[in-house]
Amino acid sequence: MVKYCQNCGEELDEDSVFCMACGNRIDGKSKSSSAKENINNSFNKFSESVNESFDSFQNLFDIYKISMMEGEKVIKHSQIHINCLILPIAIVFICLLNLLLSYNFFSGFIAFLIFLVSIVYLIIRYVGYKNTDLILTNKRIFGKLGLVSTTQMQSPLNMINSVSFSNGLFGKIFGYGTVQVVTASTMYKFRFIRDGQVLYSDIFNQLERSEKEKLQEQAEAIAEALSKRA
């Protein structure tokens, strides 16, 4: 049975996969339709990833029993960098070596106490690593610190007075820093934050955007009031 290309009408061999004249597939799908399908598939995958990301942020808000506002979206979610555990682990290792190399009971007892303190320090740092969240949305900042003694902060963007970022030598080496948020009522410090510089920039940019939107709303309100008077 003779086969013809559905795109250009060229006669085809029975075992042809593509038309030699126009490159159309034998199943009748043209290049443009195939490209369109690829675009649609990519868009669907992107939509699924966005939905999954939104669901994960929604679950995060559900954990802390916070309802997202109308039109609110998460800009950045930051946690403590795992590299903050490197220094405590190194201290524990050094203290353990010191304990093993102790030459008498008194020095061994002191080394044992120091080793216990280093273990406690590591546990405290690990608890902080697992239980710190800092979330920036287009409307507010939410932060949570600690497990046993918990500190939570939640502030609308228009109530934030300033935000700053700093990191020391280890922070520059291992990629973390301290983000400080000053609100109208108090100051919060989030230490060892992963990508702290990026978060600082995102907060600053969001504050500027929020201020511009506020000024625009005020200008529109004034224009509307003047139009009504006229």
Side-chain angles (χ1 to χ4, degrees):
M1 182 179 178
V2 179
K3 296 168 61 177
Y4 296 93
C5 175
Q6 295 181 3
N7 187 49
C8 68
E10 182 74 14
E11 184 176 345
L12 306 170
D13 296 333
E14 291 185 3
D15 58 348
S16 296
V17 179
F18 294 93
C19 174
M20 299 299 295
C22 67
N24 184 48
R25 288 181 61 89
I26 302 308
D27 57 9
K29 294 182 179 179
S30 62
K31 289 181 179 179
S32 59
S33 62
S34 298
K36 185 177 181 180
E37 286 184 1
N38 292 333
I39 293 174
N40 290 335
N41 291 334
S42 300
F43 178 77
N44 291 335
K45 290 180 180 178
F46 174 76
S47 298
E48 290 176 0
S49 64
V50 170
N51 291 333
E52 290 176 358
S53 176
F54 177 81
D55 291 340
S56 65
F57 286 131
Q58 183 62 59
N59 292 336
L60 187 64
F61 273 71
D62 290 342
I63 290 174
Y64 297 128
K65 303 185 186 306
I66 297 176
S67 299
M68 295 189 75
M69 303 176 184
E70 183 179 354
E72 185 175 20
K73 60 181 180 179
V74 175
I75 305 298
K76 182 76 172 176
H77 173 213
S78 295
Q79 295 174 296
I80 289 182
H81 202 302
I82 193 172
N83 286 346
C84 73
L85 301 177
I86 293 177
L87 181 59
I89 291 174
I91 293 174
V92 169
F93 181 73
I94 293 172
C95 292
L96 179 60
L97 287 179
N98 187 39
L99 176 60
L100 295 176
L101 296 176
S102 300
Y103 54 88
N104 58 44
F105 175 79
F106 179 76
S107 62
F109 179 74
I110 298 299
F112 177 72
L113 291 179
I114 296 175
F115 176 70
L116 287 181
V117 171
S118 66
I119 291 292
V120 171
Y121 176 54
L122 175 59
I123 292 174
I124 292 174
R125 185 67 66 82
Y126 180 76
V127 170
Y129 164 69
K130 297 294 290 184
N131 296 277
T132 297
D133 283 299
L134 189 55
I135 305 169
L136 168 68
T137 76
N138 59 330
K139 295 181 179 293
R140 58 182 164 172
I141 293 179
F142 168 79
K144 184 248 183 185
L145 293 166
L147 177 63
V148 178
S149 178
T150 303
T151 299
Q152 290 191 12
M153 65 88 59
Q154 185 179 177
S155 175
L157 292 178
N158 58 5
M159 296 296 290
I160 295 175
N161 292 336
S162 65
V163 58
S164 61
F165 171 77
S166 62
N167 60 351
L169 177 61
F170 286 103
K172 292 177 180 178
I173 295 174
F174 298 119
Y176 56 77
T178 299
V179 177
Q180 179 175 288
V181 180
V182 180
T183 67
S185 58
T186 186
M187 178 185 69
Y188 299 91
K189 277 189 177 183
F190 295 86
R191 303 177 64 201
F192 312 112
I193 294 297
R194 180 178 61 238
D195 296 332
Q197 182 69 53
V198 176
L199 177 63
Y200 162 73
S201 299
D202 288 341
I203 295 175
F204 190 81
N205 292 335
Q206 196 60 43
L207 288 173
E208 283 192 336
R209 188 175 294 110
S210 178
E211 185 64 25
K212 288 180 180 178
E213 291 175 353
K214 180 181 177 181
L215 293 175
Q216 184 177 357
E217 290 177 357
Q218 291 176 348
E220 291 176 353
I222 293 173
E224 184 178 356
L226 292 175
S227 63
K228 288 181 179 180
R229 289 183 180 180

